Amino acid sequence: LEASVCNGKILFGQQDALLYGHSWRASENDSLDRSDIESVCGKHPAVLGLDLGGIESGSDRNLDGNAFSLMRTAALRQYERGGIVTLSWHPENPLTGGDSWDVSSGNTVASILKGGENHEKFISWLSLCADYLDTFLDKKGKRIPMIFRPWHEHTGNWFWWGGDLCSAEEYKELWMLTYDYFTETRRLDNLLWAYSPAAGVDSKGYMERYPGDETVDILGLDCYQYGKAPESNAVFASTLNESMSFMTELGKAHGKLIALTETGFEGIPYPEWWTGVLYPAIKDYPIAYVLVWRNACDIPGHFYSPWKDQESEEDFIRFASFDDIVFITDNLQK
Ligand code: BMA
């Protein structure tokens, strides 16, 4: 990651890219050689995003139907190909039993912190998650490096760990609890920790719940385009520019890498989005990677990258041909 930043390169990533795409899903014993991105530009994404949601309840599959065993295989394939793996986590709500988006109680975070009624339950969730992460081993039995990006978009109010649902102190305590459990209790020494507020904050808002330099490796941002195109292009570009610009400063001041940890425009309603909107907004910033969200195979319209014959395909090919946008190189691909 550091090398790519030093060389002025940006790694391109997609969520769940090897597990399914717009109209297909990998089978249990799949060789994981397919991605929508590969079908368009001949190369797999350099960053593979995966989500741990569901691991806390002992499920075999995550919230989007991926078998956890196949996710592990995909991560190992990605690593063997020279790529990077990043993990997000949309766990259930430990207080209400709802999902990550259940914001019906403002006591959820408080209830899982030390002294809270759900603390033991939450530790058992962390334990299940750590058990799983401890199985991502290379051929020599060594844990592979992965980016772990918990409690993301916490500046928004749509997850139970969101801005209006807990205090800054509670959020930081949640982060520290997670960090200490994984790194000290469980000795998971293979994780890079990414902090990912949602766009819409200024530098001060961005840092308000920052848990500290000792427990964060990457400063991230989740920033999507919404609305009609081309009308919304300018707002998205300026939000991205402003955010990337203060993150560049924060990265320097804190000695951290910066990344666009989630982005996209659902359904890509603007076919020149890649070279016309995204690229100009990111190219001048030292970001390690940019990751677009998933191409759901079972929700029509819920996609963030082109596939063969999708409208933005040609523009994506142009974007992918730029020297500073990096995919997994052909010789590593197999
Ligand atoms: C959201 C959507 C959901 C999905 C969740 C976790 O943004 O894509 O369909 O379940 O992410 O991957």
Side-chain angles (χ1 to χ4, degrees):
L1 282 176
E2 237 161 50
S4 82
V5 174
C6 294
N7 293 323
K9 311 264 188 205
I10 300 173
L11 306 184
F12 182 83
Q14 187 175 26
Q15 188 73 2
D16 285 346
L18 298 175
L19 294 163
Y20 57 81
H22 181 61
S23 57
W24 59 276
R25 193 183 260 282
S27 57
E28 295 293 286
N29 298 313
D30 208 281
S31 54
L32 299 167
D33 291 322
R34 185 170 179 185
S35 66
D36 280 348
I37 294 291
E38 200 270 346
S39 78
V40 167
C41 72
K43 296 173 195 175
H44 287 303
V47 179
L48 171 67
L50 298 170
D51 196 274
L52 299 164
I55 200 74
E56 70 282 356
S57 46
S59 169
D60 290 345
R61 288 177 185 272
N62 86 344
L63 76 170
D64 297 318
N66 298 317
F68 282 112
S69 55
L70 194 64
M71 283 167 53
R72 183 198 302 116
T73 311
L76 296 173
R77 288 289 272 145
Q78 179 73 3
Y79 176 68
E80 282 162 16
R81 286 174 174 141
I84 304 234
V85 176
T86 172
L87 305 163
S88 50
W89 190 13
H90 289 87
E92 287 174 7
N93 182 317
L95 180 66
T96 64
D99 59 21
S100 284
W101 294 266
D102 181 351
V103 291
S104 59
S105 168
N107 290 323
T108 305
V109 173
S111 85
I112 59 179
L113 298 176
K114 220 166 176 195
E117 73 267 31
N118 289 314
H119 183 65
E120 292 310 318
K121 176 180 178 180
F122 183 63
I123 295 292
S124 76
W125 284 15
L126 292 180
S127 171
L128 285 171
C129 190
D131 288 347
Y132 178 59
L133 295 183
D134 217 358
T135 62
F136 287 61
L137 307 175
D138 69 11
K139 288 185 177 136
K140 292 186 183 139
K142 202 167 166 285
R143 294 184 190 119
I144 64 165
M146 295 187 284
I147 298 168
F148 184 51
R149 199 170 67 83
W151 318 126
H152 64 303
E153 300 178 10
H154 63 281
T155 51
N157 297 311
W158 46 87
F159 294 136
W160 54 255
W161 57 89
D164 287 347
L165 290 306
C166 60
S167 69
E169 284 321 304
E170 286 168 341
Y171 180 81
K172 289 186 207 173
E173 221 179 301
L174 170 63
W175 184 282
M176 293 308 296
L177 179 64
T178 312
Y179 183 87
D180 287 345
Y181 183 80
F182 278 35
T183 61
E184 281 170 29
T185 309
R186 300 299 298 267
R187 302 269 164 212
L188 289 167
D189 55 3
N190 56 324
L191 305 176
L192 287 171
W193 291 68
Y195 173 76
S196 274
V201 287
D202 60 9
S203 181
K204 190 162 165 270
Y206 184 97
M207 292 304 276
E208 199 180 287
R209 297 182 171 211
Y210 185 61
D213 285 347
E214 294 75 32
T215 64
V216 172
D217 300 292
I218 298 174
L219 301 180
L221 185 79
D222 290 6
C223 180
Y224 287 88
Q225 181 166 345
Y226 298 99
K228 286 212 163 87
E231 293 89 331
S232 60
N233 289 353
V235 175
F236 174 71
S238 75
T239 305
L240 208 45
N241 269 304
E242 280 162 30
S243 314
M244 292 294 126
S245 148
F246 73 67
M247 285 170 65
T248 303
E249 294 311 311
L250 289 172
K252 273 190 217 148
H254 292 263
K256 307 293 175 193
L257 293 175
I258 65 168
L260 185 49
T261 41
E262 282 185 37
T263 190
F265 192 4
E266 188 182 36
I268 324 171
Y270 186 71
E272 286 83 41
W273 191 74
W274 304 99
T275 65
V277 182
L278 181 66
Y279 184 71
I282 60 174
K283 70 178 178 43
D284 295 329
Y285 302 102
I287 64 179
Y289 73 89
V290 51
L291 179 134
V292 297
W293 204 239
R294 63 200 200 98
N295 283 5
C297 58
D298 47 4
I299 313 174
H302 192 51
F303 63 87
Y304 293 85
S305 92
W307 62 89
K308 195 98 203 97
D309 298 330
Q310 195 274 334
E311 267 202 307
S312 74
E313 179 182 19
E314 258 179 55
D315 191 59
F316 189 87
I317 294 171
R318 260 195 306 281
F319 169 76
S321 75
F322 295 157
D323 274 354
D324 48 350
I325 305 296
V326 177
F327 293 77
I328 291 190
T329 52
D330 304 301
N331 53 353
L332 287 170
Q333 197 123 216
K334 311 267 156 45

